[in-house]
Amino acid sequence: MATYRWKSFVEDQDRPEKPRRFGVTEIRGPNHNSLFSHNLLQDMLESVGQFVDGLKFTGGSESLMPKSFIKEATKLAHEHDIYVSTGDWAEYLLQKGASSFKEYIEECKQLGFDTVELNMGSLELPEETLLRYIRLIKSEGLKAKPQFAVKFNKADIPPTRARAYGAYVVPTPRTSERVEDVDFLIRRAERCLEAGADMITIDAEDVCRYPNSVRADIIAKVVGRLGLEKAMFETSNPKTSEWFIKQYGPNVNLFVDHSQVLDLECIRGRNFGKNHKSVLDSSFFLS
């Protein structure tokens, strides 16, 4: 029996100890939308660091921060056995040419980053060029993590509102957004893995917004082809995280906001189930 403070469960239901290859929890780190001090990061990692595997700088935030702060942040993360990943900043640098990208990789290494993320949706480059950049990242001793976005037409989502049997339902107009062939997306992801990528991040925010709809088949296809160990899903809210763990177990890799870490760990441990939050909240009223 493994025990973590307020949580206990049978070992074969839990993830392995860090460093983990699956059941990874990656959190959103410092960004330009909020104030994030070294002390705040330290307090957070000291309280929930044992449940966190990765820390990602999002939205190119590392480009706006002093290098001294980034080095302190990466050092602190490493002290808690947490890897540090870049956000989607590489596509901006690639506009300046391959030489700028190589300099960027070297700087990431000096600042203490372990993983470089490549947003495949924003990088309008030939596939062979993208694969070459993955090999370049790996040659510098860093991990490569391409990110793909799943797009689909929202008109395909069946209506969930109550209606009388046989009543006429006004059809949802087709949207004009780009819809990607999921099989083509998976094949590109497979080629990235063949080139040496360590994990594939799937930005499935639109899909996750409707987890109980037919579009859950997209997630199933991605998991079936790539496997749980090689796929990480960005989840937008705790309910979506709970859906993923119910469907695929505690060993699914998830990217969440740092505020969701404890709730996510409760769900992974299967200690409280879907009502864990209400159980925890009720204790505050009883005390």
Side-chain angles (χ1 to χ4, degrees), residues 239-258:
K239 288 184 178 180
T240 306
S241 301
E242 184 173 349
W243 179 85
F244 268 99
I245 293 173
K246 280 186 175 181
Q247 295 295 316
Y248 299 105
N251 290 329
V252 63
N253 304 315
L254 297 174
F255 171 77
V256 300
D257 187 77
H258 70 272

Side-chain angles (χ1 to χ4, degrees), residues 26 55-60 62 83-94 101 104-105 108 113-120 122-123 133-134 137 142-148 199-203 232 234 255:
E26 183 174 293
L55 175 73
K56 182 168 82 169
F57 284 64
T58 57
E62 64 267 32
Y83 69 82
V84 188
S85 174
T86 66
D88 49 357
W89 185 242
E91 57 266 31
Y92 170 77
L93 293 165
L94 279 174
F101 182 70
Y104 168 67
I105 299 302
C108 287
F113 285 98
D114 307 284
T115 302
V116 176
E117 184 178 279
L118 295 172
N119 191 324
M120 308 302 272
S122 303
L123 294 171
Y133 286 139
I134 290 175
I137 293 170
L142 300 177
K143 293 184 178 181
K145 189 171 64 165
Q147 175 178 329
F148 292 86
M199 187 176 287
I200 304 295
T201 296
I202 303 296
D203 179 6
M232 172 176 285
E234 293 196 356
F255 171 77

Side-chain angles (χ1 to χ4, degrees), residues 187-204:
R187 180 55 194 145
R188 293 184 71 201
E190 289 174 334
R191 292 205 67 191
C192 289
L193 292 173
E194 292 168 1
D198 298 272
M199 187 176 287
I200 304 295
T201 296
I202 303 296
D203 179 6

Side-chain angles (χ1 to χ4, degrees), residues 49-97:
Q50 61 180 317
F51 308 127
V52 176
D53 300 272
L55 175 73
K56 182 168 82 169
F57 284 64
T58 57
S61 56
E62 64 267 32
S63 65
L64 303 176
M65 298 177 180
K67 292 182 179 180
S68 57
F69 175 83
I70 297 175
K71 286 184 177 181
E72 288 179 359
T74 56
K75 180 182 177 183
L76 183 60
H78 292 157
E79 290 174 354
H80 289 81
D81 296 321
I82 296 172
Y83 69 82
V84 188
S85 174
T86 66
D88 49 357
W89 185 242
E91 57 266 31
Y92 170 77
L93 293 165
L94 279 174
Q95 295 174 3
K96 300 181 179 181

Side-chain angles (χ1 to χ4, degrees), residues 263-275:
D263 276 351
L264 177 60
E265 197 64 22
C266 281
I267 302 171
R268 284 198 194 274
R270 302 178 181 178
N271 199 30
F272 295 105
K274 65 180 181 180
N275 295 318

